[in-house]
Amino acid sequence: MTSERTQVAIIGAGPAGLLLGQLMHRHGIEAVILEARSREYVEARIRAGVLEQGTMEVLREAGVGERMEREGLVHRGIYLCFDHVLHHIPMTELTHGRSVMIYGQTEVVKDLIEARQKAGAPLLFECEDVTVEGLEHDEPVVRYRHGGAEHELRCDIVAGCDGFHGVCRPTIPEDALTVWERGYPYAWLGILADVPPSTDELIYAYSDRGFALHSMRSLTRSRLYVQVDPDEEIAEWPDDRIWSELHQRLASDGWELAEGPILEKGITPMRSFVAAPMRYRSLMLAGDAAHIVPPTGAKGLNLAVADVTVLADALIGHLTAGSDTGLDEYSDRCLTRVWRAQHFSWFMTTMLHLDHSDDTYGRQLQRSQLRYVTTSTAAATSLAENYVGLTLEQTAPAGATP
Ligand code: FAD
Ligand code: DHB
């Protein structure tokens, strides 16, 4: 058994854990990142693709924005499609110049891993049986197995960045957490296709056959999604069936969808979930470890980045200036933003998906809402400012320390 000490033990090398590691490194704070999976697995996992302007700025300031600036695609609007007509929401025009960047989460993760390795800072893949102990004492201990040996890591703070299925949140006594949760009667089947996108900006489509989304990863790769039932198996979806659904659901007058070889496909379930507070003694939860949104608002990754920005400031205050204000305010600061994103994600999801158990009244409400956001500047502005992301100042809780 080896025993080591660090200032911050970070569990999980997703966007939250890796970005926190990068911010700690830039402020001269020691951290060790422990990840359950291999580097290859983490770098191959295809997930989100839309970065809010605030997320871009954080990555740039963290020194990992260079490839994103070169390869990312700036988008200034989205399309909503219903009744076979495309309606443009000019987000930048409606939000005083704000925009989003199309740059895959996979690429963000690769950039962060490379930065950490260049810095020579510790990041251990394939860690087994990670446990967090001693939260009642001043010095928590993280135990894990790596390379066939047992290890113990003593630290000041544990950052639980280990996603929804991680070990950190379940370490917190049940009576110390409040949980809010909602399930949905649908899931997303996502594909990555080797074909230039058939659109300049993302298309979110409402149709009688269910929701579809045309997104992209670059000028040569398309990312597309169709709504499916949550219990469907990917084997039931041969490529021809996926393209056929995409053609029908995305169909609009004078527009054609180009097909190409499918490189990857998978089904993702949907859930809304919040656990609060996001702190238990010296364990801080960040990202999916504390909250999940359905993907329709493109908020999951952006929320993880916002949490980590607040957490990094709190840790710098605690570890370099001996101030606990940031740690004490961390959960409330994050949760105000988390709940805004929860509402927006639920709103986009319920406006655009077909609930097969719903009556025709529900569908009339959806159509009315779609007509409203595509004809009223006030309604479109509300959608746009949530989509590009509110600033941290806009979502600061009343009375928080500036
Ligand atoms: P994660 O990315 O989940 O990272 C957590 C890390 O912790 C993982 O690397 C995991 O292997 C590791 N870990 C878990 N348990 C342990 C352990 N015991 N010990 C050590 N390490 C551990 N959002 C969108 O906005 N749009 C999308 O299209 C979209 N698609 C998604 C598809 C899928 C399949 C999933 C799961 C999520 C998707 N999301 C999407 C959400 C978005 O990707 C997440 O919100 C984002 O990844 C959150 O980052 P995170 O770092 O908090 O968590
Ligand atoms: C993508 C994912 C989303 O959840 C979304 O709302 C838009 C785009 C994507 O993976 O490209």
Side-chain angles (χ1 to χ4, degrees), residues 39-84:
R39 178 174 180 176
E40 294 69 36
Y41 182 92
V42 169
E43 290 191 341
R45 214 162 29 187
I46 300 178
R47 289 182 169 181
V50 179
L51 308 185
E52 294 175 359
Q53 178 152 332
T55 299
M56 288 185 249
E57 285 160 10
V58 169
L59 294 174
R60 218 178 275 144
E61 280 161 28
V64 287
E66 197 212 316
R67 194 162 67 93
M68 173 188 78
E69 301 285 5
R70 238 183 314 125
E71 297 178 14
L73 308 171
V74 175
H75 279 199
R76 299 189 168 82
I78 55 167
Y79 295 101
L80 293 178
C81 178
F82 62 101
D83 294 338
H84 307 298

mmCIF file of all heavy atoms in Angstrom, residues 39-84:
data_model
loop_
_atom_site.group_PDB
_atom_site.id
_atom_site.type_symbol
_atom_site.label_atom_id
_atom_site.label_comp_id
_atom_site.label_asym_id
_atom_site.label_seq_id
_atom_site.Cartn_x
_atom_site.Cartn_y
_atom_site.Cartn_z
ATOM 1 N N ARG A 39 -7.772 5.872 -20.931
ATOM 2 C CA ARG A 39 -7.696 7.115 -21.704
ATOM 3 C C ARG A 39 -8.406 6.954 -23.048
ATOM 4 O O ARG A 39 -9.153 7.838 -23.481
ATOM 5 C CB ARG A 39 -6.224 7.484 -21.929
ATOM 6 C CG ARG A 39 -6.083 8.732 -22.763
ATOM 7 C CD ARG A 39 -4.653 9.189 -22.869
ATOM 8 N NE ARG A 39 -4.576 10.405 -23.692
ATOM 9 C CZ ARG A 39 -3.466 11.091 -23.905
ATOM 10 N NH1 ARG A 39 -2.344 10.704 -23.356
ATOM 11 N NH2 ARG A 39 -3.475 12.168 -24.661
ATOM 12 N N GLU A 40 -8.226 5.796 -23.699
ATOM 13 C CA GLU A 40 -8.835 5.554 -25.014
ATOM 14 C C GLU A 40 -10.362 5.651 -24.904
ATOM 15 O O GLU A 40 -11.025 6.246 -25.737
ATOM 16 C CB GLU A 40 -8.455 4.151 -25.547
ATOM 17 C CG GLU A 40 -6.985 3.966 -25.856
ATOM 18 C CD GLU A 40 -6.091 3.947 -24.601
ATOM 19 O OE1 GLU A 40 -6.544 3.417 -23.560
ATOM 20 O OE2 GLU A 40 -4.967 4.479 -24.654
ATOM 21 N N TYR A 41 -10.907 5.043 -23.839
ATOM 22 C CA TYR A 41 -12.357 5.031 -23.668
ATOM 23 C C TYR A 41 -12.887 6.448 -23.463
ATOM 24 O O TYR A 41 -13.849 6.884 -24.098
ATOM 25 C CB TYR A 41 -12.719 4.154 -22.456
ATOM 26 C CG TYR A 41 -14.199 4.026 -22.221
ATOM 27 C CD1 TYR A 41 -14.933 2.982 -22.786
ATOM 28 C CD2 TYR A 41 -14.886 4.965 -21.439
ATOM 29 C CE1 TYR A 41 -16.301 2.884 -22.581
ATOM 30 C CE2 TYR A 41 -16.247 4.872 -21.229
ATOM 31 C CZ TYR A 41 -16.949 3.824 -21.803
ATOM 32 O OH TYR A 41 -18.300 3.733 -21.604
ATOM 33 N N VAL A 42 -12.219 7.199 -22.574
ATOM 34 C CA VAL A 42 -12.669 8.554 -22.247
ATOM 35 C C VAL A 42 -12.595 9.458 -23.480
ATOM 36 O O VAL A 42 -13.475 10.288 -23.724
ATOM 37 C CB VAL A 42 -11.803 9.117 -21.085
ATOM 38 C CG1 VAL A 42 -12.032 10.601 -20.880
ATOM 39 C CG2 VAL A 42 -12.101 8.359 -19.796
ATOM 40 N N GLU A 43 -11.551 9.238 -24.308
ATOM 41 C CA GLU A 43 -11.375 10.102 -25.485
ATOM 42 C C GLU A 43 -12.273 9.697 -26.657
ATOM 43 O O GLU A 43 -12.386 10.452 -27.620
ATOM 44 C CB GLU A 43 -9.903 10.098 -25.935
ATOM 45 C CG GLU A 43 -9.017 10.821 -24.930
ATOM 46 C CD GLU A 43 -7.608 11.088 -25.440
ATOM 47 O OE1 GLU A 43 -7.170 10.433 -26.408
ATOM 48 O OE2 GLU A 43 -6.943 11.940 -24.840
ATOM 49 N N ALA A 44 -12.883 8.523 -26.573
ATOM 50 C CA ALA A 44 -13.714 8.065 -27.699
ATOM 51 C C ALA A 44 -15.200 8.306 -27.437
ATOM 52 O O ALA A 44 -16.015 8.214 -28.349
ATOM 53 C CB ALA A 44 -13.473 6.582 -27.948
ATOM 54 N N ARG A 45 -15.561 8.599 -26.176
ATOM 55 C CA ARG A 45 -16.967 8.721 -25.785
ATOM 56 C C ARG A 45 -17.597 9.939 -26.449
ATOM 57 O O ARG A 45 -17.182 11.073 -26.216
ATOM 58 C CB ARG A 45 -16.963 8.914 -24.260
ATOM 59 C CG ARG A 45 -18.078 8.339 -23.536
ATOM 60 C CD ARG A 45 -17.839 8.181 -22.049
ATOM 61 N NE ARG A 45 -16.931 9.123 -21.418
ATOM 62 C CZ ARG A 45 -16.520 9.030 -20.157
ATOM 63 N NH1 ARG A 45 -16.927 8.034 -19.399
ATOM 64 N NH2 ARG A 45 -15.714 9.917 -19.648
ATOM 65 N N ILE A 46 -18.621 9.723 -27.298
ATOM 66 C CA ILE A 46 -19.260 10.856 -27.989
ATOM 67 C C ILE A 46 -20.452 11.335 -27.163
ATOM 68 O O ILE A 46 -21.348 10.553 -26.855
ATOM 69 C CB ILE A 46 -19.727 10.472 -29.406
ATOM 70 C CG1 ILE A 46 -18.527 10.019 -30.233
ATOM 71 C CG2 ILE A 46 -20.430 11.655 -30.081
ATOM 72 C CD1 ILE A 46 -18.887 9.569 -31.620
ATOM 73 N N ARG A 47 -20.427 12.606 -26.820
ATOM 74 C CA ARG A 47 -21.540 13.167 -26.038
ATOM 75 C C ARG A 47 -21.932 14.525 -26.601
ATOM 76 O O ARG A 47 -22.227 14.627 -27.774
ATOM 77 C CB ARG A 47 -21.153 13.240 -24.572
ATOM 78 C CG ARG A 47 -21.083 11.846 -23.932
ATOM 79 C CD ARG A 47 -20.765 11.946 -22.498
ATOM 80 N NE ARG A 47 -20.921 10.700 -21.783
ATOM 81 C CZ ARG A 47 -20.701 10.599 -20.492
ATOM 82 N NH1 ARG A 47 -20.327 11.647 -19.789
ATOM 83 N NH2 ARG A 47 -20.854 9.432 -19.893
ATOM 84 N N ALA A 48 -21.912 15.563 -25.765
ATOM 85 C CA ALA A 48 -22.455 16.862 -26.166
ATOM 86 C C ALA A 48 -21.632 17.545 -27.255
ATOM 87 O O ALA A 48 -20.505 17.138 -27.553
ATOM 88 C CB ALA A 48 -22.521 17.747 -24.933
ATOM 89 N N GLY A 49 -22.201 18.613 -27.835
ATOM 90 C CA GLY A 49 -21.483 19.310 -28.914
ATOM 91 C C GLY A 49 -21.659 20.817 -28.959
ATOM 92 O O GLY A 49 -21.070 21.465 -29.802
ATOM 93 N N VAL A 50 -22.484 21.378 -28.055
ATOM 94 C CA VAL A 50 -22.752 22.820 -28.108
ATOM 95 C C VAL A 50 -22.143 23.503 -26.886
ATOM 96 O O VAL A 50 -22.531 23.205 -25.749
ATOM 97 C CB VAL A 50 -24.282 23.091 -28.142
ATOM 98 C CG1 VAL A 50 -24.563 24.589 -28.168
ATOM 99 C CG2 VAL A 50 -24.935 22.409 -29.330
ATOM 100 N N LEU A 51 -21.198 24.419 -27.106
ATOM 101 C CA LEU A 51 -20.585 25.154 -25.993
ATOM 102 C C LEU A 51 -21.184 26.555 -25.922
ATOM 103 O O LEU A 51 -21.175 27.294 -26.918
ATOM 104 C CB LEU A 51 -19.069 25.278 -26.191
ATOM 105 C CG LEU A 51 -18.286 23.997 -26.473
ATOM 106 C CD1 LEU A 51 -16.784 24.308 -26.515
ATOM 107 C CD2 LEU A 51 -18.564 22.941 -25.409
ATOM 108 N N GLU A 52 -21.686 26.917 -24.744
ATOM 109 C CA GLU A 52 -22.180 28.284 -24.549
ATOM 110 C C GLU A 52 -21.008 29.258 -24.649
ATOM 111 O O GLU A 52 -19.855 28.879 -24.417
ATOM 112 C CB GLU A 52 -22.781 28.442 -23.145
ATOM 113 C CG GLU A 52 -24.027 27.640 -22.908
ATOM 114 C CD GLU A 52 -24.503 27.754 -21.455
ATOM 115 O OE1 GLU A 52 -23.848 28.446 -20.652
ATOM 116 O OE2 GLU A 52 -25.527 27.139 -21.139
ATOM 117 N N GLN A 53 -21.327 30.533 -24.893
ATOM 118 C CA GLN A 53 -20.263 31.537 -24.968
ATOM 119 C C GLN A 53 -19.445 31.579 -23.673
ATOM 120 O O GLN A 53 -18.212 31.667 -23.707
ATOM 121 C CB GLN A 53 -20.884 32.918 -25.230
ATOM 122 C CG GLN A 53 -19.827 33.977 -25.266
ATOM 123 C CD GLN A 53 -20.218 35.154 -26.130
ATOM 124 O OE1 GLN A 53 -20.982 35.029 -27.078
ATOM 125 N NE2 GLN A 53 -19.687 36.308 -25.787
ATOM 126 N N GLY A 54 -20.112 31.469 -22.528
ATOM 127 C CA GLY A 54 -19.406 31.484 -21.236
ATOM 128 C C GLY A 54 -18.455 30.295 -21.116
ATOM 129 O O GLY A 54 -17.359 30.412 -20.560
ATOM 130 N N THR A 55 -18.848 29.141 -21.642
ATOM 131 C CA THR A 55 -17.992 27.942 -21.605
ATOM 132 C C THR A 55 -16.748 28.155 -22.459
ATOM 133 O O THR A 55 -15.628 27.853 -22.048
ATOM 134 C CB THR A 55 -18.791 26.719 -22.110
ATOM 135 O OG1 THR A 55 -19.906 26.534 -21.244
ATOM 136 C CG2 THR A 55 -17.953 25.457 -22.154
ATOM 137 N N MET A 56 -16.964 28.748 -23.669
ATOM 138 C CA MET A 56 -15.814 29.054 -24.554
ATOM 139 C C MET A 56 -14.830 29.946 -23.820
ATOM 140 O O MET A 56 -13.624 29.752 -23.869
ATOM 141 C CB MET A 56 -16.270 29.857 -25.772
ATOM 142 C CG MET A 56 -17.043 29.153 -26.796
ATOM 143 S SD MET A 56 -17.257 30.375 -28.129
ATOM 144 C CE MET A 56 -18.953 30.726 -28.046
ATOM 145 N N GLU A 57 -15.364 30.978 -23.147
ATOM 146 C CA GLU A 57 -14.490 31.949 -22.471
ATOM 147 C C GLU A 57 -13.698 31.281 -21.360
ATOM 148 O O GLU A 57 -12.500 31.522 -21.194
ATOM 149 C CB GLU A 57 -15.327 33.121 -21.915
ATOM 150 C CG GLU A 57 -15.784 34.064 -23.031
ATOM 151 C CD GLU A 57 -16.981 34.941 -22.658
ATOM 152 O OE1 GLU A 57 -17.363 34.984 -21.471
ATOM 153 O OE2 GLU A 57 -17.538 35.573 -23.583
ATOM 154 N N VAL A 58 -14.350 30.385 -20.606
ATOM 155 C CA VAL A 58 -13.657 29.684 -19.508
ATOM 156 C C VAL A 58 -12.531 28.814 -20.076
ATOM 157 O O VAL A 58 -11.408 28.806 -19.560
ATOM 158 C CB VAL A 58 -14.660 28.821 -18.701
ATOM 159 C CG1 VAL A 58 -13.924 27.889 -17.743
ATOM 160 C CG2 VAL A 58 -15.642 29.690 -17.944
ATOM 161 N N LEU A 59 -12.807 28.097 -21.167
ATOM 162 C CA LEU A 59 -11.786 27.208 -21.754
ATOM 163 C C LEU A 59 -10.613 28.029 -22.281
ATOM 164 O O LEU A 59 -9.452 27.667 -22.105
ATOM 165 C CB LEU A 59 -12.396 26.343 -22.860
ATOM 166 C CG LEU A 59 -13.441 25.318 -22.386
ATOM 167 C CD1 LEU A 59 -14.088 24.608 -23.573
ATOM 168 C CD2 LEU A 59 -12.831 24.276 -21.445
ATOM 169 N N ARG A 60 -10.942 29.154 -22.916
ATOM 170 C CA ARG A 60 -9.906 30.054 -23.427
ATOM 171 C C ARG A 60 -9.031 30.551 -22.274
ATOM 172 O O ARG A 60 -7.815 30.453 -22.320
ATOM 173 C CB ARG A 60 -10.612 31.239 -24.084
ATOM 174 C CG ARG A 60 -9.947 31.747 -25.324
ATOM 175 C CD ARG A 60 -10.763 32.884 -25.906
ATOM 176 N NE ARG A 60 -11.842 32.457 -26.767
ATOM 177 C CZ ARG A 60 -13.036 33.053 -26.852
ATOM 178 N NH1 ARG A 60 -13.339 34.095 -26.094
ATOM 179 N NH2 ARG A 60 -13.941 32.619 -27.690
ATOM 180 N N GLU A 61 -9.668 31.050 -21.206
ATOM 181 C CA GLU A 61 -8.911 31.586 -20.070
ATOM 182 C C GLU A 61 -8.125 30.506 -19.349
ATOM 183 O O GLU A 61 -7.096 30.779 -18.737
ATOM 184 C CB GLU A 61 -9.854 32.274 -19.073
ATOM 185 C CG GLU A 61 -10.223 33.682 -19.517
ATOM 186 C CD GLU A 61 -11.476 34.213 -18.823
ATOM 187 O OE1 GLU A 61 -11.764 33.784 -17.687
ATOM 188 O OE2 GLU A 61 -12.171 35.034 -19.448
ATOM 189 N N ALA A 62 -8.598 29.252 -19.447
ATOM 190 C CA ALA A 62 -7.880 28.146 -18.795
ATOM 191 C C ALA A 62 -6.697 27.679 -19.648
ATOM 192 O O ALA A 62 -5.983 26.744 -19.277
ATOM 193 C CB ALA A 62 -8.848 26.985 -18.539
ATOM 194 N N GLY A 63 -6.521 28.286 -20.819
ATOM 195 C CA GLY A 63 -5.369 27.949 -21.665
ATOM 196 C C GLY A 63 -5.581 26.718 -22.526
ATOM 197 O O GLY A 63 -4.627 26.114 -23.013
ATOM 198 N N VAL A 64 -6.838 26.298 -22.730
ATOM 199 C CA VAL A 64 -7.102 25.112 -23.549
ATOM 200 C C VAL A 64 -8.059 25.439 -24.708
ATOM 201 O O VAL A 64 -8.771 24.559 -25.183
ATOM 202 C CB VAL A 64 -7.673 23.943 -22.704
ATOM 203 C CG1 VAL A 64 -6.601 23.319 -21.836
ATOM 204 C CG2 VAL A 64 -8.854 24.405 -21.852
ATOM 205 N N GLY A 65 -8.038 26.711 -25.156
ATOM 206 C CA GLY A 65 -8.997 27.110 -26.180
ATOM 207 C C GLY A 65 -8.435 27.164 -27.589
ATOM 208 O O GLY A 65 -9.164 27.462 -28.537
ATOM 209 N N GLU A 66 -7.154 26.857 -27.740
ATOM 210 C CA GLU A 66 -6.504 27.134 -29.026
ATOM 211 C C GLU A 66 -7.097 26.309 -30.179
ATOM 212 O O GLU A 66 -7.482 26.842 -31.221
ATOM 213 C CB GLU A 66 -5.000 26.853 -28.894
ATOM 214 C CG GLU A 66 -4.188 27.466 -29.995
ATOM 215 C CD GLU A 66 -2.971 26.633 -30.315
ATOM 216 O OE1 GLU A 66 -2.300 26.176 -29.356
ATOM 217 O OE2 GLU A 66 -2.723 26.412 -31.507
ATOM 218 N N ARG A 67 -7.221 24.984 -29.991
ATOM 219 C CA ARG A 67 -7.757 24.144 -31.074
ATOM 220 C C ARG A 67 -9.245 24.431 -31.280
ATOM 221 O O ARG A 67 -9.744 24.438 -32.413
ATOM 222 C CB ARG A 67 -7.525 22.657 -30.757
ATOM 223 C CG ARG A 67 -7.738 21.746 -31.974
ATOM 224 C CD ARG A 67 -7.102 20.393 -31.762
ATOM 225 N NE ARG A 67 -7.729 19.614 -30.724
ATOM 226 C CZ ARG A 67 -8.706 18.719 -30.920
ATOM 227 N NH1 ARG A 67 -9.162 18.503 -32.136
ATOM 228 N NH2 ARG A 67 -9.211 18.047 -29.910
ATOM 229 N N MET A 68 -9.949 24.712 -30.162
ATOM 230 C CA MET A 68 -11.378 25.061 -30.255
ATOM 231 C C MET A 68 -11.570 26.299 -31.145
ATOM 232 O O MET A 68 -12.461 26.323 -31.994
ATOM 233 C CB MET A 68 -11.914 25.324 -28.842
ATOM 234 C CG MET A 68 -13.321 25.858 -28.783
ATOM 235 S SD MET A 68 -13.762 26.356 -27.104
ATOM 236 C CE MET A 68 -12.921 27.939 -26.990
ATOM 237 N N GLU A 69 -10.699 27.307 -30.964
ATOM 238 C CA GLU A 69 -10.797 28.533 -31.783
ATOM 239 C C GLU A 69 -10.581 28.216 -33.260
ATOM 240 O O GLU A 69 -11.195 28.795 -34.131
ATOM 241 C CB GLU A 69 -9.726 29.563 -31.391
ATOM 242 C CG GLU A 69 -9.753 30.025 -29.962
ATOM 243 C CD GLU A 69 -10.881 30.992 -29.691
ATOM 244 O OE1 GLU A 69 -11.696 31.222 -30.591
ATOM 245 O OE2 GLU A 69 -10.937 31.496 -28.556
ATOM 246 N N ARG A 70 -9.654 27.280 -33.521
ATOM 247 C CA ARG A 70 -9.293 26.952 -34.895
ATOM 248 C C ARG A 70 -10.345 26.080 -35.567
ATOM 249 O O ARG A 70 -10.723 26.294 -36.704
ATOM 250 C CB ARG A 70 -7.954 26.192 -34.871
ATOM 251 C CG ARG A 70 -6.871 26.846 -35.687
ATOM 252 C CD ARG A 70 -5.583 26.047 -35.704
ATOM 253 N NE ARG A 70 -5.145 25.553 -34.416
ATOM 254 C CZ ARG A 70 -4.893 24.275 -34.141
ATOM 255 N NH1 ARG A 70 -5.076 23.353 -35.056
ATOM 256 N NH2 ARG A 70 -4.464 23.915 -32.944
ATOM 257 N N GLU A 71 -10.830 25.052 -34.816
ATOM 258 C CA GLU A 71 -11.671 24.033 -35.449
ATOM 259 C C GLU A 71 -13.163 24.163 -35.135
ATOM 260 O O GLU A 71 -13.986 23.596 -35.839
ATOM 261 C CB GLU A 71 -11.192 22.631 -35.027
ATOM 262 C CG GLU A 71 -9.774 22.348 -35.490
ATOM 263 C CD GLU A 71 -9.274 20.986 -35.050
ATOM 264 O OE1 GLU A 71 -10.092 20.145 -34.619
ATOM 265 O OE2 GLU A 71 -8.050 20.765 -35.133
ATOM 266 N N GLY A 72 -13.495 24.900 -34.061
ATOM 267 C CA GLY A 72 -14.907 25.021 -33.673
ATOM 268 C C GLY A 72 -15.683 25.885 -34.651
ATOM 269 O O GLY A 72 -15.107 26.708 -35.369
ATOM 270 N N LEU A 73 -16.985 25.674 -34.688
ATOM 271 C CA LEU A 73 -17.850 26.441 -35.598
ATOM 272 C C LEU A 73 -18.734 27.365 -34.765
ATOM 273 O O LEU A 73 -19.478 26.893 -33.905
ATOM 274 C CB LEU A 73 -18.743 25.491 -36.418
ATOM 275 C CG LEU A 73 -18.042 24.352 -37.176
ATOM 276 C CD1 LEU A 73 -19.085 23.387 -37.752
ATOM 277 C CD2 LEU A 73 -17.157 24.922 -38.282
ATOM 278 N N VAL A 74 -18.627 28.678 -35.013
ATOM 279 C CA VAL A 74 -19.467 29.630 -34.277
ATOM 280 C C VAL A 74 -20.854 29.644 -34.915
ATOM 281 O O VAL A 74 -20.972 29.800 -36.128
ATOM 282 C CB VAL A 74 -18.848 31.047 -34.312
ATOM 283 C CG1 VAL A 74 -19.784 32.062 -33.657
ATOM 284 C CG2 VAL A 74 -17.492 31.039 -33.611
ATOM 285 N N HIS A 75 -21.886 29.437 -34.089
ATOM 286 C CA HIS A 75 -23.264 29.486 -34.593
ATOM 287 C C HIS A 75 -24.021 30.638 -33.947
ATOM 288 O O HIS A 75 -23.959 30.837 -32.736
ATOM 289 C CB HIS A 75 -23.991 28.170 -34.305
ATOM 290 C CG HIS A 75 -23.653 27.103 -35.307
ATOM 291 N ND1 HIS A 75 -24.425 25.994 -35.501
ATOM 292 C CD2 HIS A 75 -22.621 27.009 -36.177
ATOM 293 C CE1 HIS A 75 -23.890 25.247 -36.465
ATOM 294 N NE2 HIS A 75 -22.790 25.831 -36.875
ATOM 295 N N ARG A 76 -24.735 31.387 -34.787
ATOM 296 C CA ARG A 76 -25.425 32.591 -34.311
ATOM 297 C C ARG A 76 -26.945 32.426 -34.289
ATOM 298 O O ARG A 76 -27.668 33.389 -34.049
ATOM 299 C CB ARG A 76 -25.032 33.793 -35.189
ATOM 300 C CG ARG A 76 -23.552 34.062 -35.123
ATOM 301 C CD ARG A 76 -23.125 35.349 -35.799
ATOM 302 N NE ARG A 76 -21.755 35.647 -35.427
ATOM 303 C CZ ARG A 76 -20.680 35.109 -36.006
ATOM 304 N NH1 ARG A 76 -20.817 34.272 -37.012
ATOM 305 N NH2 ARG A 76 -19.462 35.398 -35.584
ATOM 306 N N GLY A 77 -27.402 31.217 -34.582
ATOM 307 C CA GLY A 77 -28.844 30.977 -34.556
ATOM 308 C C GLY A 77 -29.129 29.488 -34.580
ATOM 309 O O GLY A 77 -28.198 28.671 -34.698
ATOM 310 N N ILE A 78 -30.412 29.129 -34.413
ATOM 311 C CA ILE A 78 -30.857 27.746 -34.617
ATOM 312 C C ILE A 78 -32.144 27.798 -35.447
ATOM 313 O O ILE A 78 -32.767 28.868 -35.560
ATOM 314 C CB ILE A 78 -31.153 26.995 -33.288
ATOM 315 C CG1 ILE A 78 -32.167 27.771 -32.419
ATOM 316 C CG2 ILE A 78 -29.881 26.685 -32.520
ATOM 317 C CD1 ILE A 78 -32.738 26.957 -31.254
ATOM 318 N N TYR A 79 -32.516 26.632 -36.002
ATOM 319 C CA TYR A 79 -33.807 26.531 -36.676
ATOM 320 C C TYR A 79 -34.732 25.670 -35.838
ATOM 321 O O TYR A 79 -34.298 24.661 -35.256
ATOM 322 C CB TYR A 79 -33.663 25.845 -38.043
ATOM 323 C CG TYR A 79 -32.831 26.617 -39.036
ATOM 324 C CD1 TYR A 79 -31.504 26.262 -39.271
ATOM 325 C CD2 TYR A 79 -33.377 27.685 -39.756
ATOM 326 C CE1 TYR A 79 -30.732 26.958 -40.198
ATOM 327 C CE2 TYR A 79 -32.616 28.389 -40.683
ATOM 328 C CZ TYR A 79 -31.292 28.018 -40.892
ATOM 329 O OH TYR A 79 -30.537 28.708 -41.806
ATOM 330 N N LEU A 80 -36.004 26.063 -35.793
ATOM 331 C CA LEU A 80 -37.048 25.182 -35.276
ATOM 332 C C LEU A 80 -37.882 24.795 -36.479
ATOM 333 O O LEU A 80 -38.251 25.650 -37.290
ATOM 334 C CB LEU A 80 -37.920 25.910 -34.246
ATOM 335 C CG LEU A 80 -37.240 26.293 -32.928
ATOM 336 C CD1 LEU A 80 -38.224 27.045 -32.032
ATOM 337 C CD2 LEU A 80 -36.712 25.063 -32.200
ATOM 338 N N CYS A 81 -38.158 23.487 -36.630
ATOM 339 C CA CYS A 81 -38.910 23.014 -37.790
ATOM 340 C C CYS A 81 -40.222 22.384 -37.329
ATOM 341 O O CYS A 81 -40.199 21.512 -36.450
ATOM 342 C CB CYS A 81 -38.059 21.973 -38.534
ATOM 343 S SG CYS A 81 -38.868 21.261 -39.963
ATOM 344 N N PHE A 82 -41.341 22.844 -37.832
ATOM 345 C CA PHE A 82 -42.617 22.146 -37.606
ATOM 346 C C PHE A 82 -43.539 22.428 -38.781
ATOM 347 O O PHE A 82 -43.372 23.425 -39.484
ATOM 348 C CB PHE A 82 -43.244 22.511 -36.249
ATOM 349 C CG PHE A 82 -43.611 23.960 -36.071
ATOM 350 C CD1 PHE A 82 -44.926 24.390 -36.221
ATOM 351 C CD2 PHE A 82 -42.650 24.896 -35.732
ATOM 352 C CE1 PHE A 82 -45.270 25.728 -36.039
ATOM 353 C CE2 PHE A 82 -42.974 26.237 -35.554
ATOM 354 C CZ PHE A 82 -44.281 26.649 -35.710
ATOM 355 N N ASP A 83 -44.456 21.511 -38.993
ATOM 356 C CA ASP A 83 -45.345 21.573 -40.166
ATOM 357 C C ASP A 83 -44.535 21.746 -41.458
ATOM 358 O O ASP A 83 -44.946 22.461 -42.372
ATOM 359 C CB ASP A 83 -46.374 22.713 -40.019
ATOM 360 C CG ASP A 83 -47.327 22.441 -38.872
ATOM 361 O OD1 ASP A 83 -47.464 21.255 -38.494
ATOM 362 O OD2 ASP A 83 -47.905 23.402 -38.337
ATOM 363 N N HIS A 84 -43.337 21.132 -41.480
ATOM 364 C CA HIS A 84 -42.466 21.115 -42.664
ATOM 365 C C HIS A 84 -41.969 22.500 -43.083
ATOM 366 O O HIS A 84 -41.655 22.736 -44.242
ATOM 367 C CB HIS A 84 -43.150 20.406 -43.847
ATOM 368 C CG HIS A 84 -43.628 19.039 -43.467
ATOM 369 N ND1 HIS A 84 -42.759 18.053 -43.063
ATOM 370 C CD2 HIS A 84 -44.868 18.519 -43.373
ATOM 371 C CE1 HIS A 84 -43.457 16.979 -42.740
ATOM 372 N NE2 HIS A 84 -44.738 17.235 -42.913
#
